[in-house]
Amino acid sequence: MKKILLVCMEWEGGMKHYFESVYKAVSQEKDIKMKIFILKDPIRNKKEEIGEIPADSSKIKISWKNSNNIGRLLEKIFTGRVDKCLLNFIEEFDPDLIHIIWDNYFINNIKQISKKYKVLYTVHDVFPHERAYRNFGEYIFRKFQRIREKKKINQAKFLFTNSLHQKKYLEMKYKNKKVFYANMPSTLTEIIKNGGKIPEEIKNERGYILFFGRIQKYKGIEYLVEAYERSSFLPNNFKLVIAGDGQIYWKTEFSPNVIFINRFIEDEEIRELFTRAKIVVFPYISATQAGPPAIAHYFQVPLIVSNVDGLKEFVENEVTGLIFEPKNATDLKHKMELLVSDPILYENIKANQKKYYEEFYSLEALGKSLCNIYNRII
């Protein structure tokens, strides 16, 4: 019986869903004894339930962060309290392998842990994304985060990624490390699949073009808006819905046909948001890996993605979606017009999405891949 510890240092948004998918996949394997360490914020995460993981205190350790802004900032910079809490939990469980699924800031002693335990460190974004900073303080803090991330990658002996592009880069950059790859977890929870809540902003809308995700510069949303507004056909027939929390980093005034839902989208709202859409567009200008395409595939909403590494690997052109050249609003306009106007292509993509999701995102396949990786390390 192998003892595996899964670690998630910050319980929020898409990474929460990612962690839950990994847990469900691994927990299906009978020869694994598993425990979980989760870091939650009592203020930011007070409504975030651990729904996909059994509420078994013998398996889960929840460490509570400080409940005020200054305390949270200090704990991100000075990680001693959290490090000690995690280390005590590790020593008590004595695992064969520690798989760090997500560590935004808080672990600062991987080198120490690795002296006694085998650590598999998940690399989500080896390349820094394009960002629009609110102020100089945020810029400095992100630089600090990148420095710490590189330090942790250097300290870990075993690296894990869900991007083939990242895997190749990591193998070339860190020739002394073992780098492992598995398919991207679907990030769909039962709450997302079942839905039950219609976003107020689209309660009377159907058949629109959708962008879904946190508003960040590397996602290239301005090119989607430009492509949509350049078309004489699309605005007269389809509304454009941009749904996600974040800072508007480009200067624009939206036309009346653009619905901008600039807030956190609750899990219960995601099903209706996607199933009411005609198509979904992910116009990223860079990517390392991406979770939202899985949602489009699951609900069989044909999608268009940009031709960037870390994103295009989730779509087979003209089979499970369409691919356009990044930053090229003209190409994106043509692809959107093609997809909404060609019923044969549209229906073929929908049928292929169902097969693709079952094969690529199945928990069974992910569980086998992860357990194969664990066995190779242990």
Side-chain angles (χ1 to χ4, degrees):
M1 181 73 69
K2 294 179 287 293
K3 296 167 70 176
I4 308 295
L5 174 64
L6 300 181
V7 177
C8 185
M9 306 298 282
E10 191 143 30
W11 190 254
E12 62 177 358
M15 200 48 58
K16 173 177 70 77
H17 302 150
Y18 179 105
F19 184 88
E20 290 178 344
S21 294
V22 171
Y23 167 80
K24 289 172 68 177
V26 176
S27 65
Q28 294 181 358
E29 302 299 318
K30 297 180 180 179
D31 63 339
I32 286 182
K33 181 179 180 181
M34 186 166 46
K35 284 195 176 183
I36 299 165
F37 186 96
I38 295 171
L39 186 66
K40 284 186 64 177
D41 187 318
I43 299 298
R44 290 176 57 189
N45 302 140
K46 60 185 177 181
K47 294 182 179 180
E48 297 281 6
E49 300 295 332
I50 306 179
E52 299 297 316
I53 301 172
D56 184 344
S57 59
S58 67
K59 293 182 180 179
I60 300 174
K61 171 68 177 183
I62 301 177
S63 173
W64 297 90
K65 293 192 291 176
N66 253 302
S67 59
N68 60 75
N69 290 331
I70 294 176
R72 286 198 292 269
L73 177 61
L74 290 175
E75 285 198 338
K76 288 181 177 181
I77 298 173
F78 306 104
T79 63
R81 189 177 75 88
V82 177
D83 278 342
K84 184 178 180 180
C85 183
L86 173 60
L87 190 58
N88 289 340
F89 188 67
I90 291 171
E91 291 176 347
E92 180 183 337
F93 182 42
D94 192 28
D96 298 302
L97 176 68
I98 301 165
H99 185 179
I100 299 175
I101 305 294
W102 174 242
D103 174 35
N104 199 7
Y105 303 97
F106 298 98
I107 300 175
N108 203 28
N109 62 353
I110 287 181
K111 187 175 182 179
Q112 178 187 352
I113 296 172
S114 297
K115 289 179 180 178
K116 186 176 180 181
Y117 301 97
K118 293 180 178 178
V119 177
L120 178 63
Y121 186 78
T122 303
V123 182
H124 293 282
D125 299 312
V126 70
F127 311 108
H129 290 303
E130 294 84 353
R131 286 185 177 275
Y133 299 101
R134 293 184 177 89
N135 50 56
F136 184 68
E138 183 182 1
Y139 169 78
I140 293 297
F141 197 73
R142 291 296 180 183
K143 292 287 284 187
F144 163 77
Q145 181 187 12
R146 291 297 305 168
I147 291 169
R148 182 172 284 181
E149 175 74 3
K150 287 183 179 180
K151 176 183 175 183
K152 287 181 281 197
I153 292 174
N154 281 318
Q155 290 180 346
K157 295 179 180 178
F158 306 102
L159 303 177
F160 174 75
T161 181
N162 301 114
S163 166
L164 289 171
H165 175 60
Q166 282 197 151
K167 180 176 186 293
K168 292 177 182 177
Y169 173 83
L170 290 168
E171 288 173 333
M172 179 183 67
K173 177 74 173 178
Y174 303 99
K175 298 185 185 297
N176 62 328
K177 301 180 185 295
K178 291 186 178 179
V179 183
F180 299 94
Y181 165 85
N183 288 350
M184 183 76 182
S186 76
T187 70
L188 266 81
T189 65
E190 292 304 313
I191 295 175
I192 293 175
K193 291 177 181 178
N194 295 330
K197 185 175 182 180
I198 302 173
E200 183 69 22
E201 298 89 342
I202 59 160
K203 64 180 181 180
N204 298 319
E205 304 294 339
R206 288 188 180 274
Y208 45 77
I209 299 167
L210 172 67
F211 169 86
F212 169 76
R214 183 164 176 79
I215 309 302
Q216 292 178 303
K217 189 174 182 179
Y218 74 91
K219 296 184 179 180
I221 303 166
E222 67 270 37
Y223 298 101
L224 170 58
V225 175
E226 181 183 352
Y228 176 79
E229 293 182 344
R230 276 190 186 184
S231 173
S232 59
F233 170 72
L234 294 174
N236 291 325
N237 294 276
F238 306 93
K239 289 189 177 180
L240 172 63
V241 174
I242 301 171
D245 188 20
Q247 177 188 7
I248 302 177
Y249 56 85
W250 71 98
K251 293 181 180 180
T252 185
E253 291 184 7
F254 294 119
S255 72
N257 291 324
V258 177
I259 301 172
F260 189 28
I261 310 175
N262 189 207
R263 61 173 176 80
F264 176 76
I265 307 299
E266 298 178 22
D267 287 358
E268 294 88 346
E269 298 177 298
I270 293 175
R271 178 186 178 92
E272 287 290 338
L273 191 65
F274 274 79
T275 56
R276 288 169 174 253
K278 179 71 173 179
I279 63 173
V280 186
V281 182
F282 299 105
Y284 293 22
I285 59 176
S286 70
T288 47
Q289 57 189 27
I295 305 174
H297 288 310
Y298 179 81
F299 291 119
Q300 293 177 262
V301 186
L303 71 166
I304 302 174
V305 305
S306 51
N307 187 24
V308 296
D309 292 318
L311 181 62
K312 64 182 180 182
E313 60 193 75
F314 300 107
V315 172
E316 185 177 352
N317 193 37
E318 297 186 356
V319 178
T320 59
L322 297 182
I323 298 176
F324 78 99
E325 289 307 307
K327 299 184 180 181
N328 190 328
T330 300
D331 188 26
L332 177 54
K333 177 179 80 75
H334 291 326
K335 294 294 169 59
M336 288 193 291
E337 291 174 344
L338 170 64
L339 189 52
V340 298
S341 303
D342 188 333
I344 296 176
L345 174 65
Y346 186 87
E347 292 301 324
N348 284 342
I349 287 176
K350 288 189 67 171
N352 291 330
Q353 282 182 293
K354 179 177 175 59
K355 299 175 185 176
Y356 179 80
Y357 185 89
E358 292 171 350
E359 294 174 4
F360 189 88
Y361 291 106
S362 74
L363 288 176
E364 292 74 18
L366 178 61
K368 289 179 181 178
S369 294
L370 288 171
C371 289
N372 179 54
I373 292 170
Y374 297 163
N375 288 331
R376 290 171 64 185
I377 295 174
I378 296 171

